Amino acid sequence: MDSQALLSKALSTGELLGLAILKAIVILIVGLYLARIVKKRIFHVVNKATNNDEILANFISQAASAIILVIAGIAVLSALGVQIASIIALLGTIGVAIALALKNSLSSVAGGIILIVLRPYKKGDTIKIGGTEGVVQAINLFTTILKTDDGKIVTMPNNAAANSTIINSGVNEILSIEEVTYNLKLPYETNLDSIKENLKATLATLKNVVQEKGYKVDITSFEEDYVAASIKIWCDKLELDQTKEALSSALKHILQEEYIKHKG
């Protein structure tokens, strides 16, 4: 075979390979686009059909998107010349290995399905799983997302949630609750236990304070001339200004009494 024939064959092979790669790229782009569109569309339809059940809509839309991506992946491999029968055989051969390697992830998917079916909680509920308490933000394919009182986002595997004791306090009241923090500079002689007792008694008299949430008094740092402390309480957003004013006055009175007691 002369050099011209070899060149012609190489060009032909290169052309076929280029077309296959181009076809695979197009299929991949279309697959990604369809997955995104279908995910949004299914979320909208399911959310509307279930009276704004965002958790169920989110879970189903993610599952549909994942299925489309898997199909697109197989189509891409097929476009590159890999036989579908070979792909299926390959998947069957390595299926056990994948299941073992991803057993925690697959367990989380199964846990997510259990949570969706049994519905021990829904978006907006305040729940406690193990030592973690927060407001349910979402149930995804693999994880449950919680938001704690201090604004932190906790990502918990669904299998851990499904296999744990769940304490559900019901519809989240924290959505209408505002966290209020007071930063104080206290003398080293300050009796924090006395302040806590007086604060507890004062909070009991304020109707707009969420009593169930309690309060937190924390030492944040030790400075040369004072102890830096913070006081956190939670109150109704609708009465936020009035509650802040009342609590500021109460704190001032408590600290004045403590100062006078110390001086006396």
Side-chain angles (χ1 to χ4, degrees):
M1 185 179 293
D2 57 21
S3 60
Q4 187 174 359
L6 287 174
L7 179 59
S8 177
K9 185 176 181 179
L11 290 175
S12 178
T13 302
E15 183 179 355
L16 291 175
L17 180 60
L19 288 174
I21 292 175
L22 180 60
K23 183 180 178 181
I25 292 174
V26 171
I27 293 174
L28 179 61
I29 293 174
V30 171
L32 292 174
Y33 177 77
L34 283 177
R36 187 177 66 177
I37 295 300
V38 169
K39 180 179 178 181
K40 290 182 179 180
R41 182 59 181 169
I42 290 181
F43 179 88
H44 176 74
V45 171
V46 175
N47 191 43
K48 185 177 181 180
T50 56
N51 293 321
N52 297 322
D53 189 342
E54 292 186 14
I55 285 183
L56 179 60
N58 188 53
F59 191 88
I60 293 177
S61 63
Q62 286 188 2
S65 176
I67 291 172
I68 291 175
L69 290 176
V70 169
I71 294 173
I74 293 175
V76 167
L77 292 176
S78 178
L80 292 175
V82 181
Q83 296 298 320
I84 295 180
S86 301
I87 297 174
I88 295 175
L90 179 62
L91 290 177
T93 302
I94 65 175
V96 175
I98 292 177
L100 291 174
L102 301 177
K103 62 179 181 179
N104 290 332
S105 297
L106 295 176
S107 177
S108 289
V109 173
I113 294 174
I114 292 173
L115 294 174
I116 290 297
V117 173
L118 299 181
R119 308 309 296 274
Y121 51 79
K122 60 183 182 298
K123 183 176 181 179
D125 282 356
T126 299
I127 64 172
K128 185 175 183 179
I129 303 176
T132 304
E133 182 175 5
V135 181
V136 180
Q137 304 296 305
I139 300 178
N140 298 318
L141 272 178
F142 299 99
T143 60
T144 289
I145 310 296
L146 302 179
K147 185 176 183 180
T148 61
D149 290 338
D150 54 4
K152 294 179 180 178
I153 299 298
V154 179
T155 302
M156 180 176 298
N158 285 333
N159 59 332
N163 293 322
S164 300
T165 299
I166 301 171
I167 301 175
N168 190 337
S169 301
V171 177
N172 172 38
E173 299 294 338
I174 201 170
L175 293 177
S176 62
I177 290 174
E178 182 78 15
E179 178 186 292
V180 179
T181 302
Y182 292 87
N183 296 311
L184 306 174
K185 296 179 180 179
L186 305 174
Y188 274 91
E189 300 82 7
T190 302
N191 187 336
L192 282 179
D193 290 333
S194 175
I195 290 178
K196 287 182 180 180
E197 287 299 318
N198 290 327
L199 180 61
K200 183 178 180 180
T202 299
L203 291 176
T205 66
L206 299 177
K207 64 178 183 178
N208 295 320
V209 172
V210 181
Q211 303 296 334
E212 294 80 4
K213 302 296 293 183
Y215 64 92
K216 291 182 180 180
V217 179
D218 298 314
I219 302 297
T220 56
S221 67
F222 294 93
E223 305 299 332
E224 184 177 351
D225 300 323
Y226 62 87
V227 177
S230 69
I231 296 176
K232 288 184 180 180
I233 60 101
W234 289 264
C235 62
D236 191 331
K237 284 184 179 180
L238 298 178
E239 304 291 340
L240 181 60
D241 292 336
Q242 296 90 321
T243 304
K244 278 185 174 182
E245 184 178 347
L247 190 56
S248 295
S249 177
L251 277 174
K252 181 179 179 182
H253 180 69
I254 291 172
L255 293 174
Q256 284 178 337
E257 281 193 344
E258 183 63 30
Y259 180 77
I260 293 172
K261 190 187 302 182
H262 170 70
K263 287 297 183 181

